Amino acid sequence: MPNIVSEAGLQTRAGQWWDSIPFLTSAVVIVCGVIYLICILVGYDSFYEVCFLPEAIVSHFQVYRIYTSIIFHGSLLHVLFNMLALVPLGSELERIMGSIRLLYTIILLATSNAIFHLIIALVVAHNPFHPFEHLMNECAIGFSGILFSMIVIETSLSGVQSRSVFGLFNVPAKWYAFILLVVFQLLMTNVSLLGHLCGILSGFAYTFGLFNFLIPGPSFYTAIESSSWLASCVRRPKFILCSGGNPSAYIPTYTAQNSPSSALFSGNIWRNLSSWMPQRGTTAQPAQDDPRFPGRGRTLGSVQNTAVNSDSNLQARLLDNSRPTSPSDIAAAGAGERLSNERQLQVSDAVAVGAGGYPLPQVASEEQIQKLLSMGFERTQVEVAIAAADGDLNVAVEILMSQQG
């Protein structure tokens, strides 16, 4: 009987974990897993035909390698580790961007990774000082290049000052991806150093806005979501719409140094994998309030599968800079978040005061006002909202978003 209970509990927990993964992230996991399984069953190991090979792309224009290389993996550990790393990263980014926008971003990152890879390989192979043609004949496969791009984007969005490397030591956030690059290269010498480096470069190019001219507006994603051929996918509960998307169609990366962030962003992404990997006598513990986050009498806690009243969801909306919607609209869009009764009353009262035009005392510094002005709100509205929120920027943002909704 204890074995039956234990197996049932593990099976239930695994089902809940899988159900919490958004549509596109789970789809990528399934595609990569199925492709690897088919390769095992049919005995296919000619990865030289599908890998990213600069020489073949330049000489024979085999551009399909740019995309086939990211869905093929060379070993069980390769695909397993990449997919376990993708789940927390892809889930957070998909909840912020939406499923279609994340798919477009992955395609964009795969393309930019390939361009950086080709440029560097060509420069190194044809430099007049010491030509080194090995990079032109290097065969690279796997999703890890995209993962390094996601790590850079996620770290930039988090606004944290330091990150933990496998829980062993902390490093400055801006060097986090490069430290991982070195660590993986030391631990696994057969990995593609250039492929991972190009992923980091693409991530930084994305966060610095260099790809903004390549990213379509919200109407593009809305048109795809409303198309009939995608209706069966959109109706799935795990599908996340890009409704009310960012007017400039990319994710802003500016955050204040002390701005709160979600549990995944502020912690270590690898910590999310630890609960599913063998540990020394560890058990799953409920999320506790994290005292590291500053605030006016409140702390931020970790986010569970479909946790409500979550400040991390608010942070995601701020980072996405999307057009605010009412709680009912958010629920209809599948975000699954609602304002708590206390805060909703506070927002409603503040909106009523702001709409009535009654002057409110100034309780915010100029620096706080400038932070909200940088988000696109008008100064008068910002001053009224901050005063009504008693200087709490999170509440002030909700007030401003409710006014615009």
Side-chain angles (χ1 to χ4, degrees):
M1 181 63 67
N3 291 337
I4 296 177
V5 174
S6 177
E7 291 176 1
L10 181 60
Q11 185 178 11
T12 301
R13 185 183 179 191
Q16 293 175 344
W17 173 77
W18 179 255
D19 291 339
S20 69
I21 303 175
F23 178 82
L24 181 65
T25 303
S26 59
V28 173
V29 172
I30 293 174
V31 168
C32 293
V34 168
I35 288 177
Y36 178 76
L37 182 60
I38 292 176
C39 291
I40 294 296
L41 294 178
V42 302
Y44 181 83
D45 59 357
S46 301
F47 299 119
Y48 194 82
E49 299 175 354
V50 295
C51 68
F52 184 86
L53 188 62
E55 180 65 30
I57 296 176
V58 173
S59 302
H60 305 288
F61 201 65
Q62 297 176 351
V63 293
Y64 67 87
R65 293 176 177 268
I66 296 175
Y67 307 104
T68 57
S69 62
I70 66 175
I71 57 178
F72 281 83
H73 293 80
S75 67
L76 177 61
L77 289 179
H78 189 195
V79 65
L80 182 63
F81 186 82
N82 278 357
M83 295 304 101
L84 286 176
L86 170 66
V87 167
L89 281 170
S91 296
E92 280 296 326
L93 292 178
E94 185 171 355
R95 293 186 183 104
I96 296 174
M97 297 180 174
S99 300
I100 298 299
R101 183 182 292 183
L102 179 60
L103 175 61
Y104 183 88
T105 302
I106 290 176
I107 296 174
L108 176 63
L109 292 175
T111 306
S112 61
N113 288 358
I115 294 175
F116 282 129
H117 197 139
L118 284 174
I119 292 175
I120 295 176
L122 286 171
V123 170
V124 173
H126 298 91
N127 75 86
F129 304 103
H130 183 69
F132 187 71
E133 297 184 358
H134 171 72
L135 295 180
M136 292 294 296
N137 298 310
E138 183 182 72
C139 186
I141 59 173
F143 203 80
S144 53
I146 304 296
L147 290 176
F148 269 89
S149 299
M150 288 183 171
I151 289 172
V152 173
I153 296 172
E154 182 263 353
T155 302
S156 177
L157 289 173
S158 70
V160 297
Q161 299 301 305
S162 63
R163 302 300 299 267
S164 174
V165 179
F166 301 107
L168 301 177
F169 55 91
N170 293 331
V171 298
K174 61 182 178 180
W175 297 108
Y176 179 61
F178 293 102
I179 297 298
L180 290 180
L181 174 68
V182 174
V183 170
F184 288 139
Q185 196 66 33
L186 294 176
L187 295 178
M188 298 168 284
T189 56
N190 62 333
V191 300
S192 174
L193 174 64
L194 182 56
H196 292 171
L197 177 61
C198 292
I200 294 176
L201 296 178
S202 293
F204 278 112
Y206 183 90
T207 58
F208 290 152
L210 300 183
F211 296 155
N212 291 351
F213 70 99
L214 297 173
I215 303 179
S219 58
F220 171 80
Y221 306 110
T222 303
I224 294 178
E225 292 170 346
S226 59
S227 61
S228 58
W229 57 272
L230 200 62
S232 59
C233 295
V234 174
R235 286 196 297 266
R236 294 183 176 273
K238 297 170 62 171
F239 191 93
I240 299 179
L241 296 171
C242 303
S243 56
N246 179 15
S248 56
Y250 70 95
I251 297 182
T253 57
Y254 171 81
T255 52
Q257 292 184 355
N258 294 328
S259 60
S261 60
S262 71
L264 173 67
F265 289 159
S266 60
N268 185 350
I269 61 172
W270 309 110
R271 195 177 304 154
N272 292 271
L273 306 179
S274 61
S275 61
W276 294 96
M277 300 177 67
Q279 300 289 335
R280 294 182 296 178
T282 59
T283 57
Q285 298 293 337
Q288 302 293 334
D289 288 340
D290 194 337
R292 294 174 299 170
F293 297 104
R296 297 172 59 84
R298 61 168 64 90
T299 55
L300 298 179
S302 298
V303 180
Q304 298 299 325
N305 296 337
T306 54
V308 296
N309 307 327
S310 171
D311 280 356
S312 66
N313 288 331
L314 171 61
Q315 177 71 1
R317 296 202 308 273
L318 295 182
L319 294 173
D320 193 35
N321 197 23
S322 59
R323 187 180 67 83
T325 57
S326 64
S328 60
D329 293 333
I330 298 175
E337 57 184 73
R338 294 180 180 176
L339 293 172
S340 63
N341 293 335
E342 178 183 355
R343 182 165 295 187
Q344 192 170 7
L345 290 175
Q346 187 176 7
V347 171
S348 299
D349 294 342
V351 171
V353 172
Y358 296 103
L360 294 171
Q362 173 70 26
V363 295
S365 64
E366 183 63 25
E367 181 181 0
Q368 291 176 309
I369 295 177
Q370 291 300 325
K371 289 179 182 178
L372 297 186
L373 290 178
S374 65
M375 298 179 185
F377 300 115
E378 296 181 0
R379 185 179 186 90
T380 303
Q381 295 177 334
V382 167
E383 292 176 350
V384 171
I386 293 180
D390 194 23
D392 191 309
L393 292 184
N394 289 337
V395 177
V397 170
E398 292 184 7
I399 294 173
L400 292 168
M401 294 173 68
S402 299
Q403 289 177 333
Q404 291 189 1

